[in-house]
């Protein structure tokens, strides 16, 4: 979801409510393209995060502080010089542009009252934080020269203006009478593209998702061009368009995040009816939405980056073992003819006396099947020598089969082990979750331990959930935790759950001597489905039994168990309604 003009309108309203009239108490620059302002107002204290990160530009209020560098960057020092104790006069958004202007009042060196403006542009890779006096740029967190942009230079001493890089119109012109329904229709019909795309290309502030939402609310197919829509359909769309604009102008926002199986997939300042089939969580403020959404997204992105090396090691080993296993399976298939050679040898010992000298074959009765077969012969050898040759072939293939049978079991076990580690990497959420996974790879010989034999401290703990009926459910994050949960933590009467025939977490439900309700069985099974390789499947088959019936063979790899008496159920992996203990 783009941080679009509608979300900017929502955050602008929120900032005005909390910060207008307040004074800037602290100015910090935790990152090269990020500011953290501490503002005191109405007896309270607020932290305003302003980020011009090219990949993730953001503006929101937060309770969290950030560590600042020992030496403040030049831009931060400049702001401190001008804006320390400055008063916020107002916070505005021009039209529905992705721009926020914070107008400030402060005293200069002579004690005279001056006004400055801090402009935050949320424009993807072109995002910036610009400090202006009237329309002149004093400085910016990013310097953009003419060599970088032919549209506008962002440098000290240059004039500040909003770049008009696209032929987009201000949608609020429809509210003040500047434009009409006919203008709306003609503009969309002139654009040879899908209707939803024409909407966000024609008017500022609308993201692709919000444009699709408008089409959905109007009951139209947004993939059909406007030129193919009926006048009545475009009239419905115009009414919907106006209704949304009036809602924005009135500040009637309902910030929300759309979740699919507990993962955030979208956020918006207005309800997204286009996602009726997914879970929508509403928040009191757009700042909460942005902080939650990007924190969760960042967590997944960050852990992916942190685990990249481990993933590469596991994937390389997995590919190598799969190739080895496929080769061994082909070699085993080649040994299937060994019994034929044994029978040839036996029949030659029995009927070889009847073979003519120099014969290239012998017709004989196979007394195992009562059928006549033709035995190929080497005409340079006697029947007994031919029999010995066949017995030698049989012996060689038999030894190959026996050796490969053991090897394929070992390699298959290693593949399953590596797949379980890959599954553990998929569910890791924190850096500390990777510690035990790395340790397992070291113990398995895939990574060389650095710094002697000293093991790192383990702080990761299993996931902990409470069932709807109040039972405690625990989920192992990796093979070591699976072993610990099953064989050290759980008692014999506790229930054990695992996805059938695929890598996944061990799930333990503590019974405390009580009978488990059906609902708790289902919720534990959903946990086992979600924390398995089959989480994207519509249904996952789950095995469950009491822990006392789960065994671990001697010398088995971490996380590997066996059991013989179990129940099974097929269930979805939706755990969105479960309470997790942090």
């Amino acid at each position: 979801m783009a941080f679009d003009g509608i979300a900017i309108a929502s955050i602008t309203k929120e900032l005005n409510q909390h910060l207008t009239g307040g004074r800037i108490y602290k100015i910090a620059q935790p990152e090269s393209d990020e500011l953290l302002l501490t503002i005191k107002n109405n007896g309270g204290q607020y932290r305003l995060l302003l980020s011009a990160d090219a990949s993730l530009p953001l503006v929101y209020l937060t309770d969290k502080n950030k560590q600042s560098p020992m030496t403040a960057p030049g831009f931060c020092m400049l702001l401190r010089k001008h804006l320390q104790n400055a008063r916020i006069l107002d916070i505005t958004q021009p039209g529905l542009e992705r721009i926020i202007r914070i107008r400030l009042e402060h005293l200069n060196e002579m004690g005279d009252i001056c006004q400055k403006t801090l402009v935050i542009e949320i424009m993807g890779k072109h995002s910036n934080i610009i400090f202006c006096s009237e329309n002149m740029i004093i400085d910016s967190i990013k310097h953009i020269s003419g060599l970088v942009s032919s549209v506008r230079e962002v440098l000290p001493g240059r004039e500040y203006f909003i770049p008009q890089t696209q032929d987009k119109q201000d949608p609020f012109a429809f509210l003040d009478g500047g434009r009409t329904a006919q203008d709306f229709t003609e503009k969309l019909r002139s654009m040879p593209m899908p209707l939803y795309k024409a909407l966000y290309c024609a008017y500022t502030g609308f993201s692709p998702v919000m444009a699709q939402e408008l089409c959905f609310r109007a009951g139209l197919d947004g993939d059909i061009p406007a030129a193919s829509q009926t006048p009545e359909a475009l009239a419905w769309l115009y009414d919907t368009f106006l209704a949304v604009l009036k809602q924005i102008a009135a500040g009637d926002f309902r910030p929300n995040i759309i979740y699919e199986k507990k993962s955030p997939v979208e956020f918006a300042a207005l309800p997204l009816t286009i996602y009726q089939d997914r879970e929508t969580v509403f928040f009191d403020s757009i700042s909460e939405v942005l902080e939650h959404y990007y924190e969760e997204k960042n967590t997944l992105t960050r852990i992916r980056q942190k685990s990249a090396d481990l993933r590469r090691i596991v994937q390389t080993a997995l590919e190598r073992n799969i190739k080895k296993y496929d080769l061994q399976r082909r070699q085993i298939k080649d040994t299937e003819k060994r019994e034929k050679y044994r029978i040839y040898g036996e029949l030659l010992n029995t009927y070889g006396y009847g073979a003519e000298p120099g014969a290239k074959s012998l017709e004989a009765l196979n007394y195992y099947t009562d059928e006549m077969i033709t035995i190929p012969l080497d005409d340079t050898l006697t029947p007994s020598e031919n029999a010995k040759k066949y017995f030698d072939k049989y012996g060689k293939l038999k030894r190959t089969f026996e050796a490969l049978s053991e090897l394929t079991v070992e390699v298959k076990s290693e593949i399953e082990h590596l797949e379980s580690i890959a599954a553990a990497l998929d569910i890791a959420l924190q850096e500390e979750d990777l510690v035990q996974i790395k340790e397992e790879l070291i113990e398995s010989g895939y990574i060389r331990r650095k710094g002697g034999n000293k093991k790192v401290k383990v702080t990761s703990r299993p996931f902990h959930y409470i069932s709807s009926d109040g039972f405690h459910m625990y989920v192992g994050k990796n093979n070591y935790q699976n072993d610990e949960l099953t064989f050290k933590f759980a008692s014999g009467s506790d229930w054990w759950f695992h996805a059938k025939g695929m890598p996944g977490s061990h799930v333990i439900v503590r019974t405390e001597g009580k009978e488990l309700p059906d609902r708790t069985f289902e919720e534990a099974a959903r946990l086992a489905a979600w924390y398995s390789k089959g989480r994207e499947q519509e249904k996952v088959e789950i095995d469950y039994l009491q822990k006392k019936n789960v065994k671990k063979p001697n010398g088995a790899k971490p996380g590997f168990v066996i059991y013989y008496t179990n129940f099974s159920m097929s269930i979805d992996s939706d755990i969105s309604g479960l309470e997790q203990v942090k």
Side-chain angles (χ1 to χ4, degrees), residues 500 543 545 549-551 553 560-567:
K500 186 180 186 69
D543 287 344
L545 61 154
N549 295 317
V550 180
K551 309 297 179 186
F560 181 80
V561 299
I562 57 172
Y563 51 89
Y564 301 103
T565 54
N566 63 277
F567 304 95

Side-chain angles (χ1 to χ4, degrees), residues 220-240:
L220 305 180
D221 185 347
D223 292 321
I224 298 175
S228 302
Q229 305 279 356
T230 64
E232 293 81 10
L234 292 179
W236 295 333
L237 182 62
Y238 179 69
D239 290 341
T240 305

Side-chain angles (χ1 to χ4, degrees), residues 159-392:
E159 182 184 0
Y160 174 79
F161 61 91
I162 300 173
Q164 297 294 329
T165 55
Q166 293 179 316
D167 185 25
K168 288 191 176 185
Q169 299 176 356
D170 181 2
F172 284 132
F174 290 96
L175 293 182
D176 59 22
R179 289 197 176 89
T180 64
Q182 184 178 351
D183 295 328
F184 178 81
T185 300
E186 289 177 355
K187 178 69 174 175
L188 294 182
R189 284 191 181 279
S190 70
M191 304 178 76
M193 57 184 68
L195 181 59
Y196 85 93
K197 188 174 182 180
L199 272 170
Y200 73 78
C201 287
Y203 301 108
T204 59
F206 286 86
S207 64
V209 170
M210 190 51 67
Q212 289 175 322
E213 172 68 16
L214 286 177
C215 295
F216 184 79
R217 290 188 185 187
L220 305 180
D221 185 347
D223 292 321
I224 298 175
S228 302
Q229 305 279 356
T230 64
E232 293 81 10
L234 292 179
W236 295 333
L237 182 62
Y238 179 69
D239 290 341
T240 305
F241 181 70
L242 277 186
V244 168
L245 288 178
K246 289 175 182 176
Q247 191 175 353
I248 296 167
D252 183 16
F253 299 106
R254 294 193 66 201
N256 63 90
I257 297 178
I258 309 297
Y259 287 89
E260 183 173 19
K261 294 182 178 179
K262 299 198 78 174
S263 295
V265 293
E266 210 67 82
F267 79 87
L270 301 175
L272 294 176
T273 58
I274 197 171
Y275 291 116
Q276 295 176 12
D277 57 334
R278 298 180 186 175
E279 181 190 10
T280 301
V281 178
F282 291 94
F283 292 80
D284 293 332
S285 74
I286 189 69
S287 286
E288 286 184 72
V289 163
L290 294 170
E291 191 162 24
H292 275 80
Y293 181 84
Y294 286 111
E295 189 176 73
E296 292 180 51
K297 282 289 186 184
N298 276 346
T299 297
L300 295 174
T301 302
R302 188 170 59 251
I303 201 66
R304 284 277 174 179
Q305 293 170 343
K306 294 283 186 183
S307 64
D309 289 342
L310 298 181
R311 288 178 183 278
R312 186 171 59 253
I313 290 167
V314 171
Q315 188 60 32
T316 301
L318 196 51
E319 289 173 359
R320 186 169 61 247
N321 277 280
I322 288 173
K323 286 181 181 177
K324 187 190 297 184
Y325 183 72
D326 289 342
L327 176 62
Q328 289 171 347
R329 293 299 300 170
R330 288 197 298 272
Q331 290 175 330
I332 282 182
K333 189 169 182 63
D334 290 340
T335 67
E336 290 176 357
K337 62 185 78 170
R338 66 188 182 280
E339 287 300 318
K340 179 178 70 174
Y341 295 142
R342 179 182 62 80
I343 292 171
Y344 282 176
E346 289 183 1
L347 294 181
L348 281 173
N349 281 339
T350 304
Y351 303 114
Y353 62 88
E356 296 289 335
K360 294 187 178 181
S361 63
L362 173 67
E363 294 286 331
L365 175 67
N366 183 354
Y367 41 69
Y368 290 105
T369 62
D370 285 331
E371 295 176 350
M372 296 297 295
I373 63 171
T374 300
I375 304 172
L377 298 176
D378 184 342
D379 57 1
T380 64
L381 302 176
T382 65
S384 62
E385 288 173 336
N386 271 291
K388 182 179 183 302
K389 180 180 177 182
Y390 279 125
F391 280 129
D392 288 343

